[in-house]
Amino acid sequence: MRRPGVTGPRPRVAGRTAGSAPPSAPGSSREAGTGARRAPRPQGVCRACRVAPAEHVDHRHGTGRVRGVLCFSRHAALGQFKDRPDAIRRAAAYVEGIAWKPTLVAPGVCRLPS
C-alpha cells in the first residue's frame, strides 16, 4: 500500500508493477483453461512488406480483432494513417505517381492536376 503524499512511479517487483497480480494468478489471462484468446506469436516476415521480420501484432482498434503480424515500420505507418483505407490509398497513388501526373497540353507545356 502506498503512503499518502508519495509521488513518482510505483516500484517494480520481478518484472511487474508492485501490487499487480502475478501472471499465473486466478482470473488472469494467462491462467490455464480460461479460454482467453491470445495474439499470434510474432514469427516469419511482415504481412505488408514481406521482407522485414514480423515483430508487432496488428489489431483493429474498434473491435480488438487481430489482423496479422507486421514489422515495426508498417505497424507504425498504419498507426499514422489512423487505420483509414482512403488515406492509405491516396498515399499509395502518390508514391506510384498517379496523383501528380501532369497533362501534356502542347510540346513543352504541361498542365498540373488541380
Side-chain angles (χ1 to χ4, degrees), residues 38-46 53-58 68-71:
R38 294 179 190 225
R41 179 177 220 88
Q43 60 186 17
V45 296
C46 173
E55 303 166 331
H56 299 273
V57 177
D58 180 47
V69 186
L70 303 174
C71 66

Side-chain angles (χ1 to χ4, degrees):
M1 181 169 185
R2 297 191 55 109
R3 292 179 291 170
V6 175
T7 59
R10 299 188 88 164
R12 306 269 307 163
V13 177
R16 60 184 176 89
T17 305
S20 65
S24 59
S28 74
S29 62
R30 298 178 96 180
E31 181 182 5
T34 62
R37 291 189 304 171
R38 294 179 190 225
R41 179 177 220 88
Q43 60 186 17
V45 296
C46 173
R47 290 195 53 189
C49 71
R50 297 184 179 147
V51 176
E55 303 166 331
H56 299 273
V57 177
D58 180 47
H59 67 283
R60 293 182 66 121
H61 288 268
T63 63
R65 184 175 180 194
V66 173
R67 290 186 282 218
V69 186
L70 303 174
C71 66
F72 172 81
S73 296
R74 294 346 169 261
H75 189 251
L78 286 180
Q80 292 297 315
F81 282 113
K82 307 283 190 240
D83 293 339
R84 291 180 43 214
D86 59 318
I88 296 169
R89 282 189 207 97
R90 280 194 306 274
Y94 172 79
V95 169
E96 292 172 347
I98 297 168
W100 189 251
K101 283 190 176 179
T103 305
L104 186 63
V105 177
V109 180
C110 293
R111 182 182 326 143
L112 297 176
S114 54

